[in-house]
Amino acid sequence: MSLMKEVDFENDKEDTRIGGKSSSREILFQNKCKDYLFNNDTISDGIISQIEYANFLVSYSIHESRVCSGSPQDVCTNKSFESIDLQLQLSFIWALCPNESTAEENKKCFSDLYGQGKEFGWVTGIDGNHTNIA
């Protein structure tokens, strides 16, 4: 079974943050995230998965925020989805299974996610702008 949720990242202009405008660092992060997750290498398999999400966070930590050196012995270089901060894992999962849903809907969504196997995420749309949950 496939969960369907359409997301239009290109035309999403609404800012739901409490403070209103996004800072330049937030905008940079959002743009880098979209560039990474929507590039041809990432979407070539037809899914933006939790693995690619974790890979983006590692890449961003190394190349943009310089939190991580990128050397093999650096603790953040080889992070998997399961080893990133729990709040970051939940952010990804809640994007797939919104926490505004009823408890029964959440239970079904989580069950569907874990039934997908090793990878779960968004199935990429034909135009590259819209996605559906896998």
Side-chain angles (χ1 to χ4, degrees):
M1 168 171 233
S2 180
L3 302 171
M4 303 301 277
K5 178 181 179 186
E6 196 168 284
V7 181
D8 186 349
F9 290 104
E10 294 299 316
N11 298 313
D12 184 13
K13 304 281 190 239
E14 185 178 348
D15 187 353
T16 57
R17 291 176 357 99
I18 291 177
K21 303 255 181 212
S22 296
S23 72
S24 59
R25 290 184 81 175
E26 290 169 324
I27 292 169
L28 173 67
F29 179 83
Q30 292 166 5
N31 288 335
K32 293 289 181 178
C33 183
K34 284 193 293 189
D35 290 346
Y36 186 95
L37 294 178
F38 282 99
N39 77 44
N40 287 335
D41 291 337
T42 302
I43 63 172
S44 65
D45 65 352
I47 186 171
I48 300 171
S49 72
Q50 84 280 13
I51 295 167
E52 288 142 343
Y53 170 74
N55 289 344
F56 163 72
L57 293 174
V58 169
S59 174
Y60 188 85
S61 296
I62 295 169
H63 301 292
E64 300 299 327
S65 67
R66 308 221 191 286
V67 171
C68 183
S69 72
S71 65
Q73 65 271 16
D74 197 329
V75 71
C76 73
T77 301
N78 296 309
K79 289 280 188 183
S80 65
F81 181 77
E82 294 77 16
S83 67
I84 62 174
D85 182 78
L86 181 60
Q87 195 61 38
L88 294 172
Q89 290 180 44
L90 289 173
S91 294
F92 185 82
I93 291 170
W94 283 335
L96 299 170
C97 298
N99 59 356
E100 299 91 29
S101 303
T102 65
E104 196 58 38
E105 289 170 330
N106 276 337
K107 185 177 177 180
K108 180 176 179 352
C109 184
F110 295 148
S111 175
D112 288 345
L113 280 182
Y114 290 111
Q116 296 295 320
K118 290 186 175 190
E119 285 190 65
F120 56 87
W122 290 278
V123 174
T124 57
I126 295 170
D127 64 5
N129 292 326
H130 297 84
T131 58
N132 298 317
I133 296 175

